[in-house]
Amino acid sequence: MNTTIRENLEEVRKNIENACRKAGRDPREVTLIAVSKTKPVPALQEAYMAGQRFFGENKVQEIQEKYGALPSDISWHMIGHLQRNKVKYIVDKVAMIHSVDSLRLAETIEAEAAKKNVIVPVLLEVNVAEEESKFGLRVHEIEPLIDKIRDFSHIRLKGLMTIAPFVEDPEENRLVFRELKKISVDIAEKNMNNNIMETLSMGMTGDYQVAIEEGATMVRVGTGIFGAREYNI
Ligand SMILES: *Cc1c(COP(=O)(O)O)cnc(C)c1O
């Protein structure tokens, strides 16, 4: 890919606008998370200079390193599997944790956020396609978990996240996205509370336009912005 990060960002933003137009949605409803995992600080700086303020990372250590090296008006999104013993390192640095998938993790976030006197917005990660290899709650586990964490005062439940299966044709994931949207609407209605389900984090480089058509409010795009990942840094 011989395009620059700035050009890639412009392309992705244009695609987001087109997907919104197609779906009759306002592009301001969709937040682009630039997934910068494995990418060095200068790559993130380039995206920042092109106006990007939301970044997604999946490793605690990378968030710690990049947090200190980049401007403070960046919103950091933890999108990867989170080990409980590492929560304390990022709980006061991230704008949102997308990957809450157990009561034990939620309890740890609650405890560490209380110590630092912060309130952490979180999403519940749902394994919609019920793939064996994936983290995430099964659909029937979502509501029992919500019932337990609704009283936690340092966690603010904001919605649901899913990592759809890897597919060649993004259309194959349309029903996964539609299902997550349906689950969130059902939960909001049952709880008579739209706030706890205002965010739907779904869609990656291969399928974010389809995800937007099905209701995504956050898309997580890595390769489409930064190119192939650099696992040797
Ligand atoms: C890496 C990653 C992404 C971005 O994937 P791309 O296909 O490069 O856009 C999105 N979400 C999660 C949870 C990831 O780990």
Side-chain angles (χ1 to χ4, degrees):
M1 194 156 46
N2 283 321
T3 50
T4 64
I5 289 171
R6 177 183 291 271
E7 287 167 339
N8 295 342
L9 265 172
E10 278 167 14
E11 180 74 22
V12 171
R13 288 175 188 145
K14 203 168 347 118
N15 291 340
I16 290 173
E17 277 177 29
N18 287 338
C20 285
R21 193 165 311 124
K22 192 170 162 194
R25 298 183 60 198
D26 183 341
R28 286 172 299 188
E29 290 172 21
V30 180
T31 300
L32 170 61
I33 313 280
V35 177
S36 44
K37 63 192 190 200
T38 80
K39 293 294 167 181
V41 166
L44 281 75
Q45 271 160 343
E46 201 176 329
Y48 182 89
M49 292 302 286
Q52 185 62 32
R53 292 294 180 271
F54 301 87
F55 290 84
E57 292 283 345
N58 69 342
K59 295 246 159 44
V60 165
Q61 198 186 334
E62 271 188 79
I63 293 180
Q64 287 178 286
E65 288 165 8
K66 292 172 179 174
Y67 181 88
L70 283 146
S72 60
D73 62 341
I74 286 177
S75 292
W76 295 99
H77 288 250
M78 176 58 187
I79 62 173
H81 185 63
L82 182 54
Q83 288 171 293
R84 285 180 297 133
N85 60 353
K86 294 188 175 161
V87 169
K88 57 177 174 285
Y89 301 120
I90 57 156
V91 77
D92 57 346
K93 296 185 174 62
V94 293
M96 185 175 273
I97 297 173
H98 291 227
S99 44
V100 173
D101 61 357
S102 71
L103 177 60
R104 273 157 39 110
L105 177 58
E107 285 170 343
T108 304
I109 296 170
E110 169 67 18
E112 295 298 335
K115 279 186 209 165
K116 300 232 162 71
N117 199 23
V118 293
I119 295 173
V120 190
V122 305
L123 306 179
L124 302 182
E125 179 173 351
V126 184
N127 184 354
V128 180
E130 311 227 320
E131 291 176 282
E132 284 301 332
S133 59
K134 288 250 173 82
F135 293 111
L137 299 160
R138 299 295 164 112
V139 172
H140 68 270
E141 296 172 316
I142 303 172
E143 294 205 44
L145 181 56
I146 292 176
D147 286 338
K148 295 211 173 81
I149 67 176
R150 64 163 8 110
D151 298 328
F152 289 10
S153 49
H154 298 85
I155 285 182
R156 192 148 294 150
L157 180 60
K158 285 293 191 181
L160 305 177
M161 175 270 222
T162 198
I163 302 174
F166 181 80
V167 291
E168 291 296 329
D169 176 2
E171 284 298 330
E172 290 177 51
N173 279 334
R174 186 178 291 278
L175 293 182
V176 171
F177 299 139
R178 193 172 293 175
E179 178 66 16
L180 193 68
K181 170 74 181 181
K182 181 180 178 300
I183 293 166
S184 83
V185 169
D186 287 349
I187 292 171
E189 280 175 1
K190 242 187 245 174
N191 290 273
M192 289 182 289
N193 185 346
N194 285 322
N195 296 335
I196 62 168
M197 287 291 131
E198 67 188 25
T199 300
L200 265 190
S201 170
M202 57 187 194
M204 315 190 348
T205 295
D207 54 20
Y208 63 94
Q209 286 120 310
V210 172
I212 288 169
E213 287 170 30
E214 297 300 329
T217 69
M218 280 184 184
V219 291
R220 310 178 307 265
V221 179
T223 322
I225 295 171
F226 295 105
R229 271 179 286 278
E230 302 170 27
Y231 283 107
N232 52 350
I233 66 158

